[in-house]
């Protein structure tokens, strides 16, 4: 069996992590509680008819409850509330790194970009061109919030949150995989697969590192901007040289995050080794 690549490990490697508990989590639990109530009402009419199943249900229920509790606890530790002060700082750092300037105080995501851009300056220039290319123009474009609103709307269409480092990381990795492999992606399927893998890992008791809300927000928003810039560059890269620069740069970012994008397939189970 081909081994799934853990999305949670990938975003831990970039940011540590940040995750907002959003409505779809409660909806999922509510739906499953309702389903279990229906099953129990049916079982009450059949008591004694299926002793082996009843015994299994009695032993598995605490395990399921514990898994749900572990998952929700982990989700709470990943939550952050957006701060405009942090957003402005992220925008300034992103404008600086896109301009090739040294960023004095930056998130680990910005540091990753600095390392990537130092090796692939054409990739940096390609992304910078998506928001004007000069420091002042780029900062104005980022502060206008258009990219952030579009990104938020896109994730909300799939039931996810732009304040959630796991969802944001998944969105970026889905786009990155498509760019590097030159393929289109069933976005809904891809999100479901990566989210299911995250849930399995968190339910198994794997927990994110403790990070401040500020650190979580910095990395979440920087990665969201990167996702939007890569998407814009993919749409606007007309020449073979630009297209090659985009693939090479995104492939390098994936590698720095801990995933060889050319060596995995994107399936209903998330990323799986080819």
């Amino acid at each position: 069996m081909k081994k799934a690549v853990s999305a949670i490990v990938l975003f831990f490697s970039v940011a540590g992590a940040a995750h907002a508990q959003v409505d779809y989590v409660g909806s999922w639990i509510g739906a499953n509680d309702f389903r279990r109530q229906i099953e129990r009402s049916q079982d009450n009419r059949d008591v004694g008819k299926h002793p082996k199943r009843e015994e299994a249900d009695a032993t598995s229920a605490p395990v399921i409850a514990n898994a749900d509790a572990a998952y929700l606890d982990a989700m709470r530790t990943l939550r952050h509330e957006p701060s405009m002060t942090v957003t402005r700082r992220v925008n300034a750092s992103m404008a600086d790194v896109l301009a090739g300037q040294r960023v004095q105080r930056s998130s680990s995501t910005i540091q990753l970009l600095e390392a990537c851009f130092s090796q692939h300056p054409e990739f940096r220039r390609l992304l910078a061109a998506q928001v004007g290319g000069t420091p002042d123009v780029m900062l104005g474009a980022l502060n206008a919030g258009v990219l952030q609103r579009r990104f938020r709307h896109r994730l909300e269409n799939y039931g996810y949150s732009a304040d959630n480092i796991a969802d944001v990381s998944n969105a970026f990795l889905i786009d990155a995989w498509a760019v590097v492999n030159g393929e289109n992606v069933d976005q809904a399927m891809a999100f479901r697969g990566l989210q299911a893998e995250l849930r399995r890992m968190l339910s198994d008791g794997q927990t994110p590192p403790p990070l401040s809300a500020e650190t979580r927000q910095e990395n979440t928003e920087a990665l969201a901007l990167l996702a939007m810039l890569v998407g814009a560059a993919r749409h606007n890269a007309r020449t073979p040289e630009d297209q090659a620069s985009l693939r090479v740069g995104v492939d390098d970012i994936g590698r720095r995050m801990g995933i060889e994008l050319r060596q995995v397939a994107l399936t209903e189970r998330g990323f799986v080794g080819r």
Side-chain angles (χ1 to χ4, degrees):
M1 180 180 294
K2 294 179 179 179
K3 185 179 180 181
V5 179
S6 167
I8 195 170
V9 170
L10 299 178
F11 74 71
F12 283 0
S13 70
V14 177
H19 200 304
Q21 184 179 347
V22 290
D23 288 343
Y24 74 87
V25 175
S27 299
W28 188 94
I29 292 171
N32 279 273
D33 283 344
F34 182 65
R35 175 180 57 79
R36 285 193 289 268
Q37 288 173 15
I38 294 174
E39 290 173 349
R40 281 196 296 270
S41 67
Q42 178 66 41
D43 288 344
N44 288 339
R45 292 193 294 271
D46 298 334
V47 170
K49 294 182 180 179
H50 307 286
K52 289 186 177 180
R53 189 186 72 186
E54 291 164 14
E55 181 180 351
D57 288 346
T59 57
S60 64
V63 175
I64 294 172
N66 289 339
D68 283 346
Y71 174 68
L72 292 177
D73 285 345
M75 296 285 267
R76 278 189 286 270
T77 68
L78 295 168
R79 181 175 182 163
H80 80 271
E81 296 294 335
S83 158
M84 183 54 66
T85 299
V86 174
T87 295
R88 292 281 178 169
R89 185 165 64 241
V90 170
N91 292 347
S93 296
M94 182 63 77
D96 285 344
V97 76
L98 288 171
Q101 300 175 359
R102 182 70 178 172
V103 182
Q104 296 300 319
R105 183 188 185 281
S106 62
S107 65
S108 53
T109 302
I110 296 294
Q111 293 170 19
L112 179 152
L113 282 179
E114 282 186 306
C116 175
F117 289 163
S118 70
Q119 299 295 314
H120 306 287
E122 290 302 320
F123 176 54
R124 175 185 64 76
R125 284 190 281 271
L126 180 62
L127 294 190
Q130 308 310 311
V131 278
T134 64
D136 288 345
V137 173
M138 289 191 293
L139 181 58
L142 297 177
N143 281 338
V146 175
L147 291 179
Q148 294 90 333
R149 287 193 294 273
R150 288 177 178 171
F151 184 82
R152 183 175 296 276
H153 179 69
R154 174 196 167 192
L155 263 65
E156 287 175 350
N157 281 342
Y158 293 105
Y160 299 106
S161 169
D163 300 326
N164 170 333
I165 190 63
D167 290 347
V168 171
S169 297
N170 286 343
F172 171 73
L173 289 169
I174 290 167
D175 290 347
W177 184 88
V179 167
V180 170
N181 290 282
E183 297 187 28
N184 293 322
V185 176
D186 181 336
Q187 295 275 330
M189 178 275 293
F191 269 112
R192 285 196 304 271
L194 294 179
Q195 186 66 28
E197 175 64 12
L198 174 66
R199 183 179 181 91
R200 284 193 295 271
M201 296 195 70
L202 293 179
S203 297
D204 287 343
Q206 298 195 39
T207 58
L211 297 174
S212 69
E214 181 177 305
T215 298
R216 296 195 299 271
Q217 183 181 349
E218 286 177 340
N219 286 286
T220 302
E221 293 190 356
L223 198 56
L225 288 174
L226 177 60
M228 289 299 290
L229 292 172
V230 166
R234 188 186 189 193
H235 177 75
N236 295 322
R238 303 299 183 189
T239 68
E241 292 79 12
D242 282 349
Q243 292 168 5
S245 293
L246 181 62
R247 285 194 300 271
V248 169
V250 173
D251 194 30
D252 183 68
I253 289 176
R255 191 172 298 112
R256 293 175 189 276
M257 292 175 69
I259 179 171
E260 294 283 352
L261 291 166
R262 297 182 189 276
Q263 297 179 16
V264 295
L266 185 52
T267 74
E268 67 278 1
R269 295 191 295 118
F271 286 113
V272 176
R274 293 186 189 276

